[in-house]
Amino acid sequence: MCDETRIRNAVLGALRQPLVIAGLDPNDIDNDFDILGSGIIDSLAFVDLLLAVEAELGSQLELELLDFDDVTSLGALMRILHRILVPA
Amino acid sequence: MSALVEQILRQARLVPDAPAIHVEGKLYSYAELVEKASLVAATILESSKPATPVAVFGERKFWAYAAILGSLLAGRTYVPLGVSLPAERRDKVFDRSGARTIVAAGPDLSVLSNLLVRSSEPITLIHPDGDPPSLPAGAVAHRILGRPDLVNMPVPLPVRDPESPAYLLFTSGTTGEPKGIGIPHNRVEAYVRAARELFQVGPGDRCSQNFALTFDLSVHDLFVTWTAGACLFVTPPRSVLAPGKYVKEHQLTHWFSTPTTAALMQRVRQLSPGAFPSVRVSLFCGEALPVALAQAWSSAAPYSEVHNLYGPTEATIACLAHRFDPSQTPSVLGDGGTVPIGQGFGGTHTAIVDANLQPVVPGESGELLLGGDQLAPGYWNDPERTAVSFVECDDLEPPGVWYRTGDLVSLNLDCEPPSISFRGRLDDQIKVRGHRVELAEVETVLRSVSGTSAAVAIGWPKTELGADGIVAFIIGEGVDGEPVLELCRSLLPSYMVPTALHILDSLPQTASGKADRRQLVAMHEEEVQGV
């Protein structure tokens, strides 16, 4: 599986529960979805999400390079994760 | 007129081009800040005649800061209206404040429509950064003003009234009604004077602004910085969860946040050794500071002093401080794993008392009482609650009014000089991710929305800092949990909404007939682990 698909699956997997709690269908979520602005998860849960994605991918993310202000949408988050993923 | 405003106006006259605030990616000078604040002040004075408080709506927007300063310039009290609060709670805060004017920053003001529609009093809404917003009309005619309507006129200096409130904030209250606390100018001035000296803030310094405007620690950020001629750096909205990059980029010299923010920064690996060499003074407040976290921060900001602050809103921002010294022995660093809260600073007096309000033997635990020149005069329009918490104690030194914090503390005699350590709460107030929460308020809301007679809310999972969330238990037959939680979401800030709701036939009880919280937690943990 290519990195992009793995990242997408890992992020959506970690988001599934908060989406369902908020009454949203995970299948309806597109790349424009504003994860942080939507209010479905707070800062603590977002950090948990990053660490869960890291565990799921089995390789480290260079989190120190992450600028949270760039995380404007699901698509943007996936591009950033792709960039800061340290190849296993 | 307050000394605070006078000092900021003086900065604008003496060093007009010095930077005052960096926000939304732009730097504004003292002259620009005061110019924009004066526009807001003149518009307030022209458009709203009775001197009611001014509600400020907007977070991390330049105009929200100009609106706060503008309200004070107009001689008014400001009331921050939480942007992320559920509409009903925001409306309640607005109603209880008695405000008739809103200054709103930001593009989306649609969340304010409900407030306008249901208000029976005419409201003036000022939107200084754009056109007058088109909002649905209510039963009464409101005045909706935009940028073209701003009044450009010299603002007369308001009369100095040290006892009039500078700001009005609302905290969690046990009855389900938010509790208002108005802090007069002279209390804020006393704090700002003491803090500026203790934490050495001066011209050229670059100070963080992490706290939401509804949190009184933001008052420290704005007024300690501006009265010192320093520059305020407003962390952008998304970065505020872990602002390490912003700190580095802008070479901040003064840092102030909750321990929760520092803990999040640590989790995303922003606290590497030497990460923040520019920081000289770091302050933490709002919840217990774990020793391990203070050590990690000291190593990330190796040239910084680290102070742990303590203070309820009722005693103005913060009134105790302890300087953390990583080279000290463990018992001095913090027994129980958390850093002591120190001693009263500025004009604050402290006393540790038993249930009869008599001082305990030094070293023993008791309730912390606060006295001195930072005490609020009481709760906003609420003499009953004021009488319970603000008590006359003639046996204490100095005799007079003292505020009962409800915090259980003891004097750590190993520290030199002795320092006060936080031990817990006397009631069921907790900190959820740094926010002050009365569990009784969550229980009141649960009872009213579910129609059941009994509800218990518990902070869970417990962390070193308090709790990460709340789990709740109600008795109910045929009650569906999801609609109950949905209603909670419409009434309570997100950190107060239970993350799990258990519906039981009966509540387990302790021998004394109270709900057995320990058993309830065990029940919840069993279920979580079973999944």
Side-chain angles (χ1 to χ4, degrees):
Chain A
M1 204 170 7
C2 73
D3 274 354
E4 242 155 86
T5 318
R6 288 171 60 223
I7 290 172
R8 189 181 182 86
N9 290 345
V11 171
L12 287 177
L15 270 178
R16 176 166 296 272
Q17 205 193 353
L19 284 171
V20 171
I21 290 175
L24 297 168
D25 184 343
N27 299 319
D28 291 349
I29 301 303
D30 62 20
N31 277 356
D32 292 334
F33 182 69
D34 184 353
I35 302 177
L36 285 171
S38 67
I40 64 154
I41 54 173
D42 63 11
S43 47
L44 266 179
F46 183 68
V47 170
D48 286 342
L49 178 143
L50 292 175
L51 300 177
V53 167
E54 199 172 49
E56 179 64 32
L57 295 175
S59 35
Q60 222 187 343
L61 295 166
E62 287 185 283
L63 290 174
E64 51 280 21
L65 299 179
L66 193 149
D67 187 340
F68 288 85
D69 249 37
D70 295 337
V71 185
T72 50
S73 66
L74 180 62
L77 174 65
M78 291 196 287
R79 280 193 298 279
I80 294 167
L81 293 180
H82 192 253
R83 186 164 50 78
I84 66 175
L85 185 69
V86 180
Chain B
M1 182 62 164
S2 102
L4 295 176
V5 177
E6 279 171 23
Q7 284 167 19
I8 298 168
L9 293 179
R10 193 180 317 132
Q11 298 294 344
R13 274 198 312 274
L14 295 177
V15 283
D17 298 328
I21 181 169
H22 179 266
V23 59
E24 298 177 86
K26 206 181 149 196
L27 205 53
Y28 296 84
S29 67
Y30 273 90
E32 287 171 297
L33 173 66
V34 167
E35 184 206 324
K36 300 291 192 282
S38 302
L39 283 176
V40 174
T43 311
I44 291 170
L45 289 173
E46 193 274 330
S47 62
S48 85
K49 285 294 180 257
T52 48
V54 172
V56 175
F57 178 81
E59 285 281 353
R60 313 202 169 271
K61 302 262 182 225
F62 170 74
W63 279 102
Y65 296 90
I68 288 177
L69 186 54
S71 304
L72 297 182
L73 264 173
R76 303 292 180 89
T77 301
Y78 81 88
V79 191
L81 281 188
V83 170
S84 55
L85 283 184
E88 249 181 79
R89 196 176 178 88
R90 187 167 42 234
D91 294 357
K92 221 180 245 182
V93 164
F94 184 78
D95 289 347
R96 288 179 67 97
S97 74
R100 293 285 170 269
T101 307
I102 306 171
V103 185
D108 185 14
L109 304 183
S110 57
V111 292
L112 295 174
S113 337
N114 190 43
L115 201 151
L116 295 177
V117 168
R118 51 176 277 291
S119 175
S120 55
E121 301 267 350
I123 292 172
T124 302
L125 175 69
I126 305 169
H127 182 224
D129 55 347
D131 291 331
S134 59
L135 293 168
V140 286
H142 301 302
R143 283 192 75 181
I144 313 284
L145 307 175
R147 174 173 285 186
D149 307 307
L150 292 182
V151 178
N152 193 356
M153 240 173 39
V155 185
L157 291 184
V159 187
R160 188 187 268 261
D161 180 6
E163 286 294 332
S164 77
Y167 60 88
L168 173 59
L169 295 180
F170 288 81
T171 67
S172 175
T174 48
T175 58
E177 288 292 313
K179 229 167 16 178
I181 304 164
I183 300 293
H185 280 273
N186 54 6
R187 273 61 157 194
V188 191
E189 287 159 21
Y191 171 80
V192 166
R193 218 173 20 242
R196 212 170 42 219
E197 194 171 311
L198 196 55
F199 309 125
Q200 312 131 53
V201 188
D205 282 333
R206 306 155 76 82
C207 309
S208 67
Q209 211 282 288
N210 292 314
F211 296 108
L213 296 175
T214 45
F215 201 168
D216 71 339
L217 300 177
S218 67
V219 180
H220 164 109
D221 295 341
L222 274 62
F223 292 100
V224 170
T225 303
W226 288 339
T227 59
C231 185
L232 191 66
F233 282 81
V234 182
T235 313
R238 291 164 212 272
S239 296
V240 79
L241 78 93
K245 214 162 173 231
Y246 189 73
V247 175
K248 283 190 201 175
E249 241 167 56
H250 296 283
Q251 300 287 300
L252 300 195
T253 58
H254 289 67
W255 171 264
F256 195 9
S257 76
T258 58
T260 290
T261 299
L264 282 174
M265 293 166 78
Q266 187 179 30
R267 290 189 67 199
V268 296
R269 304 178 203 125
Q270 291 183 347
L271 300 191
S272 54
F276 309 130
S278 60
V279 178
R280 293 199 335 265
V281 178
S282 304
L283 311 179
F284 295 99
C285 192
E287 61 197 335
L289 175 63
V291 171
L293 186 60
Q295 275 164 332
W297 187 274
S298 295
S299 131
Y303 309 112
S304 174
E305 295 177 1
V306 174
H307 298 263
N308 187 28
L309 273 59
Y310 163 92
T313 305
E314 289 85 341
T316 312
I317 307 169
C319 49
L320 274 78
H322 175 90
R323 177 153 178 204
F324 176 74
D325 178 354
S327 65
Q328 291 281 6
T329 58
S331 68
V332 175
L333 278 178
D335 44 348
T338 59
V339 178
I341 54 177
Q343 298 174 301
F345 64 78
T348 293
H349 308 292
T350 58
I352 304 173
V353 299
D354 61 19
N356 299 316
L357 302 180
Q358 295 301 311
V360 298
V361 177
E364 278 183 16
S365 291
E367 183 180 3
L368 176 62
L369 264 53
L370 299 171
D373 56 13
Q374 285 182 211
L375 276 202
Y379 293 110
W380 187 250
N381 296 334
D382 199 340
E384 277 169 33
R385 275 177 174 161
T386 300
V388 172
S389 296
F390 293 81
V391 292
E392 194 79 39
C393 293
D394 292 331
D395 298 340
L396 298 178
E397 195 46 51
V401 175
W402 289 72
Y403 169 66
R404 301 189 64 165
T405 63
D407 284 329
L408 195 64
V409 301
S410 65
L411 200 58
N412 183 339
L413 299 166
D414 291 339
C415 293
E416 184 48 49
S419 188
I420 293 173
S421 288
F422 178 77
R423 301 273 171 228
R425 284 290 300 174
L426 288 165
D427 55 17
D428 59 2
Q429 184 187 102
I430 60 164
K431 289 283 172 135
V432 177
R433 290 178 255 133
H435 300 279
R436 174 170 155 179
V437 172
E438 296 280 2
L439 288 171
E441 180 175 8
V442 180
E443 291 167 356
T444 304
V445 168
L446 278 168
R447 277 196 304 272
S448 80
V449 301
S450 66
T452 62
S453 56
V456 177
I458 299 174
W460 190 91
K462 292 259 184 289
T463 64
E464 280 178 300
L465 308 173
D468 265 356
I470 292 172
V471 291
F473 304 82
I474 55 175
I475 298 185
E477 220 170 284
V479 175
D480 188 1
E482 192 37 49
V484 170
L485 287 176
E486 193 54 49
L487 284 166
C488 287
R489 280 192 274 272
S490 71
L491 294 168
L492 294 169
S494 59
Y495 55 85
M496 288 175 78
V497 177
T499 50
L501 177 64
H502 297 267
I503 297 158
L504 310 173
D505 293 335
S506 64
L507 287 174
Q509 294 191 339
T510 62
S512 61
K514 290 183 178 164
D516 188 339
R517 289 168 178 261
R518 205 171 294 175
Q519 206 180 322
L520 288 169
V521 168
M523 196 186 286
H524 174 70
E525 287 177 345
E526 219 166 273
E527 195 175 305
V528 172
Q529 281 154 14
V531 170

